[in-house]
Amino acid sequence: MKRFALLALALAACAQPSATAGAPHVGVRLVEGAGQDLTPAPAGGAATYLREPHHPEGPLMPPDAFLGELTLVGEDGKPRALGAGATNLAGSVLFSPDGQWLAYLTHFDFSTHTGQLSLVSVAGGEPRALAPGVSFFGFSPDGKNLAYVAAGRLSLLALAGGEPATVADGVATFEFSADGRAVLYRTRSSDGAALVLAPVAAGGKAPTPVARHVADYQFDRKGQAIAYTLETPDRLPELHLWKGGAERLIATAAPSFAFSSDGRYLAFVAGVSASYLEGDTYVVAVDGGAPQRIGKRAGTYVFSPDGSQLAFLHEYYDRSRTGKLAVWNPGRGTVEVAPFVRLFGWSHRGGALAWLQTVTRPLYTEQLHLAPAAAPAAGRFIGQAIYSFDFSPDDKELLFKTACVSGGQACDLMEVPTDAAAAKVTHGPDGGLLPEKAVRVAAGLSDYDFSPDGHWLWLTFTNPTGHTVDVAVIPNGEWSLPRYVDRGAEPHPRWLAGGKVAYLVNTPKRPGLYEADPAQVPAALSHR
């Protein structure tokens, strides 16, 4: 789920709940032992976690880094120990897109950031050791191949069977095309930082050199164009665009760029210098034409999910971390939306845009506004003293946390409909707009997330002492008292693909990985 949050902001007061000694334990323990880094598969109901983790020794070790025994729990609830020395660092454990395979690093070495790569079927069977000293790996989007870099050698393995095939040596990183038919890799700086496009299919055409001295690169979402920056002596990268063998220079002093999801446009920031750190925001058609400057003093910019529009901040002021929000599309150009905006986000399907606007008089607050994507300037005043917001999976509701204390660890969760026709608009005595009437979903919560089918939410409530939470569930749209699952759990439960909620408990008396079916949690367990 997307979550748009002001991470260190608590703007109002609400009562923080406390746990009671009689809190229920509805969850079923699947594996005994303390754990960290619970990761669900994208499909199939499996999950992994680090069992009995410990903080590694060594200089300059990140405080949140752990090593432990990687444990895979299948959809049947049976655990399988996969190996020791696994880490919780991002990118060290990956499920295939269909959730049928798991690639992971064990015996991780923090001094080199490498480990032993293995591959295992989630359905069962013994893990297959592939290579030691692996620094980078990933599945193709179509789920047919696994690529990895070991000691600079890029290898490709078909999941259907066979032996790994060497693609190139001296490689640093790579990226698959969206259709999985090609892999784009960058060689190490000591090997020229070359960018090369290679086919995945054996016996295909020879690899195609794209450029040398490449700093950053990105495939478009369709896998047909490549944007990349070149290193320059003055450390101000040049932005280039490559498609079908044709290359063109797009901009100079361009530190960031992003493709639209439909692959038709490229947005970027350019014109950065030592005296002008922000740069300006531009957009250019991938198939040709001159770049168009759409904003000065660039802030954040994000394409809508369908790629048809670009929301961006311009006239950005770093001290207040706010700017003017505007929306660009190729048909109508740029539409100004609101000033003093700190945070904004599109709904999942791109039909709505929400933003937080900073207000300093008469009192400081963050106001939440919502507008349809077709008319972004027609914003609705949703609420104020907002900590974070996001959209329901079907985009029918906008949810937001407000009345927060303890740095956002105890908030009221509210919702309003995204359809303006269903909004409950109110006016003050002077005729001015007041915040819309919202429905309170829960009070005093710290976090929440929707189930994959959108029928349930898990909620967590931070305990007054320690760093644990109480876990509860609630039916989506049937707002009632939370149904409590467990207490003293680790933060951030996870939904399994099968619809159960999984969570870790690290208390000495009953450590382990637990799961609970929300439909089986009695409504009577609505107390703490």
Side-chain angles (χ1 to χ4, degrees):
M1 163 176 286
K2 295 187 291 186
R3 185 70 53 81
F4 309 98
L6 300 179
L7 295 180
L9 189 63
L11 298 172
C14 66
Q16 180 166 340
S18 60
T20 65
H25 307 312
V26 178
V28 176
R29 184 160 63 180
L30 302 177
V31 189
E32 184 178 356
Q36 289 281 352
D37 198 36
L38 177 59
T39 303
T48 64
Y49 81 108
L50 294 185
R51 186 175 179 275
E52 301 294 351
H54 64 276
H55 184 67
E57 298 179 356
L60 303 178
M61 195 64 62
D64 56 350
F66 289 91
L67 290 173
E69 180 183 65
L70 184 65
T71 300
L72 171 65
V73 180
E75 191 172 6
D76 57 3
K78 296 181 179 179
R80 297 158 62 191
L82 299 181
T87 177
N88 64 331
L89 294 185
S92 62
V93 177
L94 295 176
F95 283 99
S96 60
D98 60 5
Q100 299 301 307
W101 295 91
L102 177 71
Y104 59 95
L105 297 180
T106 54
H107 306 291
F108 190 80
D109 184 349
F110 279 91
S111 65
T112 61
H113 273 241
T114 61
Q116 166 73 49
L117 178 65
S118 298
L119 178 70
V120 66
S121 169
V122 173
E126 291 297 317
R128 177 182 179 182
L130 295 178
V134 171
S135 57
F136 194 80
F137 66 98
F139 290 98
S140 59
D142 59 7
K144 295 181 179 180
N145 294 280
L146 172 70
Y148 58 91
V149 177
R153 172 168 291 181
L154 174 61
S155 299
L156 189 68
L157 174 68
L159 298 181
E163 295 300 316
T166 299
V167 178
D169 289 310
V171 174
T173 60
F174 65 86
E175 180 180 344
F176 280 102
S177 61
D179 59 8
R181 295 183 177 181
V183 61
L184 180 67
Y185 63 86
R186 177 188 175 276
T187 63
R188 296 177 295 201
S189 297
S190 57
D191 291 296
L195 192 63
V196 181
L197 181 64
V200 168
K205 62 181 181 179
T208 303
V210 176
R212 290 181 63 83
H213 307 297
V214 172
D216 194 10
Y217 63 93
Q218 185 183 125
F219 256 129
D220 77 325
R221 300 285 181 88
K222 301 295 184 181
Q224 298 175 349
I226 301 167
Y228 58 91
T229 54
L230 298 183
E231 301 169 347
T232 61
D234 58 5
R235 303 289 182 180
L236 297 175
E238 290 182 351
L239 177 61
H240 293 249
L241 190 60
W242 186 96
K243 184 175 182 180
E247 176 271 339
R248 72 185 203 263
L249 173 65
I250 300 297
T252 58
S256 70
F257 55 92
F259 281 105
S260 61
S261 60
D262 58 7
R264 297 176 58 194
Y265 295 95
L266 179 72
F268 60 94
V269 172
V272 173
S273 68
S275 59
Y276 188 46
L277 298 178
E278 296 87 354
D280 298 333
T281 305
Y282 292 79
V283 67
V284 64
V286 170
D287 288 335
Q292 175 186 352
R293 185 171 67 179
I294 57 177
K296 295 182 179 180
R297 293 217 314 269
T300 308
Y301 57 94
V302 180
F303 278 103
S304 60
D306 63 0
S308 64
Q309 301 192 85
L310 177 74
F312 63 98
L313 297 182
H314 64 110
E315 300 298 336
Y316 187 78
Y317 185 47
D318 187 64
R319 293 186 64 180
S320 66
R321 297 185 180 181
T322 64
K324 295 180 179 179
L325 177 63
V327 174
W328 172 90
N329 76 24
R332 64 170 179 248
T334 299
V335 174
E336 296 293 338
V337 177
F340 307 113
V341 173
R342 178 181 291 209
L343 188 70
F344 65 90
W346 295 101
S347 60
H348 301 288
R349 296 168 181 79
L353 178 68
W355 65 90
L356 292 184
Q357 186 175 27
T358 300
V359 176
T360 57
R361 296 180 182 178
L363 296 173
Y364 177 89
T365 188
E366 299 282 345
Q367 293 183 348
L368 177 60
H369 297 261
L370 174 67
R380 295 156 49 193
F381 180 24
I382 302 301
Q384 55 191 2
I386 308 299
Y387 182 83
S388 66
F389 67 90
D390 64 9
F391 293 87
S392 61
D394 59 8
D395 284 351
K396 291 183 178 181
E397 288 85 29
L398 174 68
L399 292 92
F400 57 95
K401 290 168 66 175
T402 186
C404 297
V405 296
S406 302
Q409 291 303 300
C411 304
D412 287 354
L413 179 62
M414 314 290 289
E415 76 160 19
V416 296
T418 54
D419 183 3
K424 298 179 181 180
V425 180
T426 58
H427 295 81
D430 60 354
L433 281 177
L434 296 177
E436 291 186 10
K437 291 184 178 180
V439 175
R440 179 183 283 108
V441 177
L445 62 77
S446 57
D447 201 4
Y448 66 96
D449 193 17
F450 284 92
S451 61
D453 59 11
H455 293 164
W456 293 85
L457 286 84
W458 60 248
L459 313 174
T460 57
F461 301 84
T462 301
N463 286 310
T465 58
H467 303 284
T468 62
V469 299
D470 293 353
V471 181
V473 293
I474 189 171
N476 183 19
E478 302 176 15
W479 304 133
S480 58
L481 291 175
R483 306 175 186 184
Y484 283 89
V485 175
D486 212 332
R487 68 183 295 261
E490 292 297 297
H492 314 303
R494 294 289 187 266
W495 286 108
L496 302 180
K500 294 182 179 180
V501 60
Y503 57 94
L504 293 166
V505 175
N506 288 340
T507 57
K509 291 185 177 180
R510 54 185 196 93
L513 171 64
Y514 290 74
E515 72 170 14
D517 184 346
Q520 301 301 317
V521 180
L525 297 179
S526 298
H527 67 279
R528 300 177 73 199

